[in-house]
Amino acid sequence: MKTIDRTQKIDVEALKSQLATLRTIPQRFKLPLSEQQAYDALLAAYQTEVANRQASFVSNPMLEKNIAAMAKALTLANPKFGIMLCGTCGNGKTTLLRAFQLLLNFLNGKGYFEQSTGIRIVDAKDISALMRDPHTKTVRNTPMLAIEDMGREATEVLDYGNVLSPVVDLLEYRYNEQLFTFITTNLNAKDVRQKYGARIADRFNEMLCVIPFTASSFRGKTLNT
């Protein structure tokens, strides 16, 4: 790269081209399927997860809408680098996350991805221990990570007298590195802002496709989660 001559006007486009060689643009995750194929595949995986819990699957418009929203988010030409399923308990968030994991494992086994692809699911309450343990600290660099039940964990923890915010630290790191992050939570947007602060809430707007679950609990009914 030539030295910048302070007597001349900078050629912005030329400099931008040279600066780009110093940065690696992260490749965001995208399902190797059409939007309709992704919907059908997620629906099949969801039904499989319901059957695995020895329950009967009964579709409804809200569930179909949520699966369709997720299929669209996962097949966009320029996708975000995460998904958040939010809403009250018992209405299908975890089942859809597990369905996504099942579908990924299936597609991976069939050679749909150039590199081995899967998603690691961790409970939000376990993140504090995982972040402190040097043997499991790689959780923050996991290419695809799902945080289950975000909001149930303590926002701050004490570690040898130091106040830490493990989930916030993890989310900020993954935001900066543009690593795919999947979240399920019973919190709504207002709750997220109150619990984690405006900084994280603002990053979520860029980072995550938010899919609200507004149906009542399926537990104890014919449609199970």
Side-chain angles (χ1 to χ4, degrees), residues 10-26:
I10 291 177
D11 184 331
V12 174
E13 290 301 318
L15 180 58
K16 184 175 71 174
S17 178
Q18 294 180 64
L19 290 174
T21 64
L22 304 178
R23 301 287 291 176
T24 300
I25 299 176

Side-chain angles (χ1 to χ4, degrees), residues 134-145:
H135 298 293
T136 55
K137 212 168 185 178
T138 54
V139 65
R140 72 176 193 167
N141 287 310
T142 300
M144 296 187 72
L145 179 70

Side-chain angles (χ1 to χ4, degrees), residues 73-144:
L74 291 168
T75 54
L76 289 171
N78 185 28
K80 294 192 175 186
F81 50 103
I83 290 176
M84 182 164 73
L85 309 182
C86 61
T88 55
C89 61
N91 52 18
K93 300 183 298 296
T94 295
T95 303
L96 189 50
L97 167 59
R98 297 287 178 178
F100 176 56
Q101 182 184 48
L102 179 63
L103 178 58
L104 279 182
N105 293 341
F106 173 79
L107 295 176
N108 190 58
K110 295 295 183 180
Y112 277 75
F113 301 108
E114 293 182 3
Q115 296 181 333
S116 181
T117 301
I119 187 167
R120 179 178 179 181
I121 301 176
V122 299
D123 192 284
K125 293 187 297 182
D126 296 331
I127 288 175
S128 177
L130 289 171
M131 291 287 281
R132 291 200 306 269
D133 188 337
H135 298 293
T136 55
K137 212 168 185 178
T138 54
V139 65
R140 72 176 193 167
N141 287 310
T142 300
M144 296 187 72

Side-chain angles (χ1 to χ4, degrees), residues 146-191:
I147 302 174
E148 173 79 316
D149 253 341
M150 188 188 79
R152 292 180 61 197
E153 82 291 347
T155 306
E156 296 180 341
V157 297
L158 282 175
D159 184 40
Y160 297 103
N162 298 313
V163 179
L164 305 177
S165 303
V167 170
V168 170
D169 293 343
L170 175 62
L171 289 170
E172 288 202 345
Y173 178 84
R174 295 185 66 82
Y175 166 82
N176 290 332
E177 298 300 317
Q178 298 185 52
L179 295 170
F180 188 93
T181 307
F182 200 118
I183 295 170
T184 69
T185 181
N186 293 339
L187 305 178
N188 58 33
K190 182 179 179 181
D191 295 332

Side-chain angles (χ1 to χ4, degrees), residues 39-57:
Y39 173 84
D40 293 337
L42 285 169
L43 178 60
Y46 190 100
Q47 292 174 353
T48 302
E49 286 298 308
V50 171
N52 185 54
R53 298 194 62 82
Q54 301 183 37
S56 299
F57 173 84

